[in-house]
Amino acid sequence: MPRLRFSNCIIVVLISVFAAGCQSSVVLTRQGTKAEEGGLIDIAANKYFEAATKKPSNIKALQGLKRTGQRVLGMLIQEFDDLVLVNQPEAAIETWHLAEDYKRRLETTGLRLYFPDAKRQVYEAIKDSHLDESYREANIFLELE
């Protein structure tokens, strides 16, 4: 009898864990909406992304993802601009790569996000300048050895 209760407890726990991990697309969309209403744009975008990944035909999730994903992408590009202004090229380049990766990830759902071409030119200039400076520093260190 005690063995049977223990087995039943394990089954109940496993079902609970499995059910918690299997949130429906509708539930995830609702969570995204609540997060967005609360101003938690990055969390909302993640919930919408999960929902759209689970059910690609969930229009509300896709609309929410398009809206919040574009805002998150805009924040990353703004952070890139800020880092360029304070002359932190390595951090700016890293942030640019995060923005590109984020855009690619969201576009796996079929969405297209706006990525300003003018910023890409700034990125290329910063990257080239940083590579030149790193190359010069490396040559100085080689000469010192």
Side-chain angles (χ1 to χ4, degrees):
M1 189 72 160
R3 204 183 235 306
L4 187 59
R5 272 192 212 167
F6 182 71
S7 296
N8 288 343
C9 286
I10 289 177
I11 290 171
V12 169
V13 168
L14 289 174
I15 290 172
S16 299
V17 169
F18 181 71
C22 293
Q23 292 179 317
S24 73
S25 181
V26 172
V27 170
L28 289 165
T29 301
R30 230 179 280 132
Q31 290 173 349
T33 302
K34 285 188 185 275
E36 186 177 2
E37 289 169 355
L40 304 171
I41 302 305
D42 53 340
I43 292 172
N46 285 332
K47 292 294 181 181
Y48 289 136
F49 178 78
E50 284 182 64
T53 301
K54 282 187 183 259
K55 186 176 179 187
S57 63
N58 183 336
I59 299 301
K60 287 186 178 184
L62 290 171
Q63 289 170 334
L65 181 58
K66 174 87 171 168
R67 187 175 52 252
T68 57
Q70 189 65 61
R71 286 183 62 190
V72 170
L73 183 60
M75 289 186 284
L76 286 168
I77 293 170
Q78 182 60 54
E79 184 179 340
F80 166 78
D81 285 342
D82 294 344
L83 290 165
V84 169
L85 286 175
V86 295
N87 197 25
Q88 293 186 11
E90 283 183 44
I93 291 167
E94 185 177 319
T95 301
W96 182 265
H97 291 160
L98 288 173
E100 284 183 322
D101 291 345
Y102 185 77
K103 180 180 182 283
R104 272 192 293 276
R105 179 175 162 243
L106 266 56
E107 287 183 344
T108 62
T109 64
L111 294 177
R112 293 290 169 247
L113 300 177
Y114 173 71
F115 206 89
D117 286 333
K119 300 295 180 183
R120 187 171 305 282
Q121 293 170 357
V122 173
Y123 162 74
E124 291 295 334
I126 295 295
K127 181 186 73 167
D128 291 346
S129 173
H130 181 65
L131 287 174
D132 286 344
E133 185 177 323
S134 296
Y135 180 75
R136 280 194 295 270
E137 285 178 9
N139 280 332
I140 290 170
F141 287 129
L142 282 173
E143 287 177 12
L144 292 175
E145 294 229 350

